[in-house]
Every structure is written in C-alpha cells, then in structure tokens.
Amino acid sequence: MRKTQEIKAALSALAPKLIPDGAEIHDLVRLSGGASQEIWAFGVQSGAGLSTPLILRRSPGGAATMSNAAIGLRMEAEVLKLADSTQVPVPRVAYVCAPEDGLGEAYVMTRLTGETLAPRILREDAYAQTRGKLAAQCGRALAAIHRMNTSTLPALPESGGLDQLARYEETYLSLDLPTPTFDLAIQWLRTNAPAPRSPALVHGDFRLGNLMVNETGLVGVLDWELAHIGDPREDIAWACVNSWRFGNSDKRVGGFGDLEDLLAAYASAGGAEISPKEIDWWEMLGTLKWGIMCMIMYEAHRSGADPSVERITIGRRVSETEIDLINLLEQVSP
Amino acid sequence: MSRKPTAEELVAAVRLFLKETVRPQLEGHAAFHTKVAENALAIVARELAQGEAAEQAAIASARALLGTDEEDLDQLTRRLCEAIRTGEISLATPGLLTHLRTVAVNQLNIDQPKYSGLALATKS
C-alpha cells in the first residue's frame, strides 16, 4: 500500500491543477481492468468542499504493454482531446502529467458514470434498452472517429491490414509458440487480402470493455492507446471478434447487436458504405491478432517483464482464438 | 491415512482457500487477480484430469495427417506449421481442419470449457 500513498502524495501536490481551487485528494483506489496500464479512481475536493470524481491513467515504468503498437499516454491524451471536440463521447482530459510530477507517463481525466463490464452490459435487465440501440450508437461513434481530422496532432503510427499481418506474424514467429491454426490463418489472410479503403483515424481497441454505457446507451469510448491511421474496417471488425462477444456468439457486434444495424448507422452518419461481407477478412485478422496478443502477454510473464498471474493465465486463451479461427476458416474452406 | 494428498486434492484445496478466504478480504485490483489465480488452478485441475488423453489424441491425429512415425508432439506441431508455411499443406488438404478442430476442442476443454466458440465448433 506504499504505492497508493506515493500516488496520493503526488496527486495532492497537483490538486490545484486538476480542478479550480482543488485541495484534497480522497478515496484513491486502483481499479481492475486495464491490463497494460494502471487506472486509479479518486476524488479531489475543492477548498469550498465540492468534490469532483477523476481518473488517473498511468504507465508503470518499463512494464510491457499488450501490444507494441501502443502510442504512449501523452499521445493518447492528445487524441482524447481531439475526440472530445467531436460527436464521440469521451472523458475530458483534466491534466497531462509532466515528468516532475512524479507519476511517470500519466494523465488525469474526468470520471464518467456508467458500466464497462461486458457480462453486466450483456445480461442485466437495466441495460436491455441500451443493448437494443448500442450497435447503431457504435456505428455513429465509429463514423465520427473515422472522420476526425488528425492534421493538428503529432504523427500517429500508420498501419493497414497487411502491415499488421506482417508485424503480428513476425511477433508470432519470434515467440516460438507454434500453432498450425495460426499459420493457416496467416496464409489465408495473406492470399485473400482486400484492397485497402481510404486511411482514417482508427481507435484500435473498439470493443466491449472499452465502451462505457448507462441505461440509455453509450456514454464513453475509452482506452485509445492503440489509436493509429489505418483501414476503418479494422475497428468495425474488432468489435465483432468472438472473444469480445462474451458468450453471445449469435450477436456479431459485441454479443449485443447486428452488424447490419451498425453499418447502416455508420453510413448514415457520414461513414463509408461497407457490406457485412467486407468485415469477414478483418474479423479473422482481429481474431489472429488477439491470439498473438495472448501469446505476448504470456511472454511478458515468461520474460519477467510482468510476472503477474493474470499475464500467464491469458496465455491459456490462445486456444479460444484457435477455435474461432477454425470456425472462420471453415466458412471460407474450398 | 493410507496415501499422501494427491496433486488434484492440493490444487482443489488452494483454489478453495483463495475463493473462500482470501478473495473476500480483498478489493479492486488484488481481488481481480485472486479470481484469475482461481481460474488458473481450475485449468490445472482439468489438465491433470484430461491432459494425457488430449496429448495422445493430438499425437495420433497429427501422425495420421502427416503420415509419419514421429512421436513427439512438439516435433509434430512444428512439422505441420512448416508444411503450412511452405504450402505443402493448405486449407484444401483433406483432414487438416478436422485435425485442427480436434486438437483445439480438446485444449479448450482444459483451458476454458465454457467458451462460446467451443459450442459452435462441436455443433458443426
């Protein structure tokens, strides 16, 4: 708990910069979730006694992230600020930490109220209405993300479908955890790659877990660390990867909605006209990427970079992506 | 007592301890990791029960597919990966998807028997 006290002390020194007349930090607690980053919830009280709920997001020094494509928290804060100026619901950045603040790479943002836990969103009665319209809301949010003008931002990494396939294949081979299903998927994806669509800002991790909802619908798109310039179909397909349907396989979008609804809302909000069939290749790529991410997390444990029980256990989720890839490959099998 | 505690019993005891004693005293991140630790022990318990049979089935299936006498599963797996990379074996090869499905289903029955993709794969 020494760490909690250190963070509290660092935040206390920052209090006046977080909210006007900010004085006292209270109820600091590390939240679960956010495997590659630390997320802390806390409140800051003003001199007049008014409390504001905030979130601190920080990168523990040197720890391995889920993907080597992460843009870093400073850049993430810049993307969030830009998103905040559009129709995309996001938390507001309150403060980006400087090295002398003693929190490492970190920023503070407003704490939205809502639910992010997929099993609750998918199964609790309170979210029945939300589930009915979430696919369309996701379509509109994605259209807004993909139309964002990033010319005011520092350069973001660029990666299209085949770039990602090549990068993940290289990682897969270097990890030396051979699984024939992954090799078969790589071969098929390479041979059947679609022509790229116009490059756009891609969120990079748009799925349940990173979407906050309340009883009336989508209230926040979170976790922008994998944002990049790429093919907009990547985001749509990532939300469809079976792992992110959390058991509701029959609902292709996140276990809650139909892809047709998402795509219709996407197009009517200014996004491109995309057919469900176009998402297939990207869904297989997404499934493969998640499988290799699971291996990367096992490697983080194996190498000692992050020896947590969570990292090594995720290594046993590789078989879930194998079965999903086999199910997808069966659909395209000659 | 006529025998020593088995590996199965030890794993079950530790898992119960984490669930009933440790986790209720924790919150946030630490409680989450404790739940993950319980899941890890559940995987170990299933592997103790099913691991040997799954490995033998994978070996037999890979040997039939590759037409070889090789007995080491790691070698068989590497050989199959290599054959797919060179195009010697492809999606059009009879028996390939059946082999991959058999191996993945057995592994998922150990790793995560409630996974939705497993139900889909065994239905077809």
Side-chain angles (χ1 to χ4, degrees), chain B residues 37-116:
Chain B
E38 293 166 34
N39 291 342
L41 290 178
I43 293 171
V44 174
R46 289 190 294 268
E47 182 151 319
L48 285 168
Q50 306 168 36
E52 182 61 27
E55 181 169 341
Q56 290 310 320
I59 290 171
S61 172
R63 285 176 63 162
L65 182 71
L66 292 166
T68 167
D69 293 334
E70 175 64 56
E71 286 177 357
D72 180 74
L73 183 56
D74 185 55
Q75 286 305 318
L76 286 162
T77 303
R78 286 176 188 279
R79 208 180 284 186
L80 180 53
C81 287
E82 192 55 34
I84 292 169
R85 284 171 206 162
T86 60
E88 185 191 330
I89 287 181
S90 74
L91 200 51
T93 305
L96 176 62
L97 278 178
T98 306
H99 164 74
L100 295 177
R101 190 180 330 114
T102 303
V103 173
V105 163
N106 289 341
Q107 187 62 45
L108 260 178
N109 274 321
I110 293 169
D111 293 343
Q112 213 188 148
K114 289 182 186 156
Y115 185 62
S116 64

Side-chain angles (χ1 to χ4, degrees), chain A residues 3-22:
Chain A
K3 187 165 160 187
T4 308
Q5 280 158 16
E6 284 169 8
I7 288 175
K8 187 171 181 182
L11 286 172
S12 298
L14 286 178
K17 295 179 179 172
L18 301 179
I19 61 164
D21 195 24

Side-chain angles (χ1 to χ4, degrees), chain A residues 53 110-115 212-215 219-220:
Chain A
T110 54
R111 191 186 335 155
L112 301 178
T113 305
E115 184 57 75
M212 182 175 278
V213 307
N214 64 16
E215 289 78 358
V219 293

Side-chain angles (χ1 to χ4, degrees), chain A residues 59-142:
Chain A
S59 214
T65 56
M66 181 167 81
S67 161
N68 54 8
I71 54 176
L73 290 182
R74 275 181 174 282
M75 186 66 172
E76 182 178 317
E78 291 304 315
V79 177
L80 257 187
K81 285 185 204 168
L82 180 63
D84 195 19
S85 69
T86 71
Q87 299 295 309
V88 186
V90 288
R92 180 149 297 162
V93 175
Y95 180 75
V96 180
C97 297
E100 59 269 27
D101 294 329
L103 285 162
E105 201 176 348
Y107 66 90
V108 175
M109 60 187 144
T110 54
R111 191 186 335 155
L112 301 178
T113 305
E115 184 57 75
T116 58
L117 286 175
R120 289 194 185 158
I121 295 171
L122 292 180
R123 307 202 201 323
E124 287 186 3
D125 291 343
Y127 304 110
Q129 210 189 4
T130 294
R131 286 192 290 275
K133 58 185 175 188
L134 194 51
Q137 289 182 325
C138 286
R140 284 192 286 276
L142 283 170

